[in-house]
Amino acid sequence: MTALKATTASKTRRRAMTVAALAAGAVLALTGCGAGQISQTAHQVAAVNGNSANVGKVALRDVRFLLPQTEEYDNAKGGKAVLAFSAANLSEANQDELVSVTTELGTVKIGGKAEVKPQTTLVADLAKKEAAPAAGHDSHGTETASDNKATTTDPDAHPLLVEVTGLTKDVTPGLTYPVTFIFKEAGTVVVNVPVDAGPNNPRPEPVNTETKSGH
C-alpha cells in the first residue's frame, strides 16, 4: 500500500469513528432528557384506603381491613378483624358468587350467601346500623351497578359481614396481608390487603417530582 492510500484510509477510519461517537452522544443526550422526568400519571393511586384487583368479570375494589372500632374487633393476635371490600359483577348476564376467602391470618367467616347478580356490587363492611335494606338493594348487600363500573357504597345498605377470627398475628396499619378470594365463575385472585387508614388519613397522592428542563 502506498503512503497516499494509507493516509486516505486512516482519515476514512477517523471520520467513521467520529460519526459513531457523535451518534452515541446524541442517544445519551436524549436519554438524559427523559431520565429526570416522571410521568404525572405513572404513579397516581386511587383516592381510597384499600387495594384493588380484577378476576374474570369481577372487579374487587377498596379491599381493606377495618381499623379496630369495637372491643369485639381489636385486630390483635387471637382476636378478630373485619374484612371490607366491594365486588362488582361486570357481566351483563351471568351471576357469580364469592365461594370463600382464605388467609394465613386466621379463619374467614362469611356471614351469609355472597351472591353477586349481573351488573350489581356486593358490599362487605361492618354494619353501621340495623335497618331494612334500602330500595335498590337486596339482603346480601348488593346494589345496582351502572356503566359496567363498581358503584359507590351506600352507607344505608345492609353489608355482608366478613370476619377473620383467631388471628395468628396483630393486623397492623402500614403493612399488607395476602388474602385469597375464590369466586364460583370468575376464579381465584390474591390481594395484598392493607389496614384502613381511616377517614382522617386517606392515602396520600404522590408528590409531583417532574424535573424542569429546557427540552
Side-chain angles (χ1 to χ4, degrees):
M1 182 182 292
T2 64
L4 178 58
K5 290 182 179 179
T7 301
T8 301
S10 177
K11 288 181 179 180
T12 301
R13 284 195 297 271
R14 284 199 298 271
R15 281 198 297 270
M17 293 175 64
T18 301
V19 171
L22 290 174
V27 171
L28 289 173
L30 290 173
T31 303
C33 270
Q37 297 182 2
I38 299 177
S39 170
Q40 294 183 9
T41 59
H43 298 282
Q44 287 184 352
V45 295
V48 295
N49 291 320
N51 211 337
S52 62
N54 297 321
V55 55
K57 290 292 186 178
V58 173
L60 281 167
R61 296 293 180 264
D62 204 13
V63 186
R64 67 210 186 277
F65 286 107
L66 297 183
L67 281 171
Q69 299 181 34
T70 66
E71 292 183 0
E72 182 179 6
Y73 303 109
D74 55 8
N75 288 18
K77 183 177 180 179
K80 295 196 293 186
V82 174
L83 181 64
F85 57 87
S86 295
N89 183 359
L90 305 183
S91 173
E92 296 183 357
N94 298 321
Q95 178 172 296
D96 210 332
E97 181 181 351
L98 179 61
V99 177
S100 65
V101 180
T102 61
T103 174
E104 293 181 353
L105 288 174
T107 302
V108 180
K109 295 182 178 180
I110 301 177
K113 197 168 185 179
E115 294 179 339
V116 198
K117 296 178 181 179
Q119 298 291 292
T120 64
T121 299
L122 173 71
V123 178
D125 205 332
L126 189 62
K128 295 178 176 62
K129 61 181 180 180
E130 290 296 328
H137 302 79
D138 64 22
S139 60
H140 298 301
T142 58
E143 57 186 66
T144 302
S146 60
D147 298 329
N148 289 345
K149 295 180 181 179
T151 57
T152 303
T153 302
D154 184 342
D156 293 326
H158 190 70
L160 182 72
L161 180 61
V162 180
E163 302 173 301
V164 182
T165 64
L167 292 173
T168 58
K169 64 176 74 175
D170 293 344
V171 178
T172 307
L175 301 178
T176 60
Y177 305 88
V179 176
T180 301
F181 291 79
I182 303 174
F183 290 90
K184 186 176 182 179
E185 301 296 334
T188 302
V189 63
V190 178
V191 184
N192 289 319
V193 181
V195 177
D196 195 331
N200 297 321
N201 297 286
R203 290 177 64 184
E205 292 292 335
V207 178
N208 183 4
T209 57
E210 181 176 355
T211 301
K212 294 182 179 181
S213 67
H215 300 290

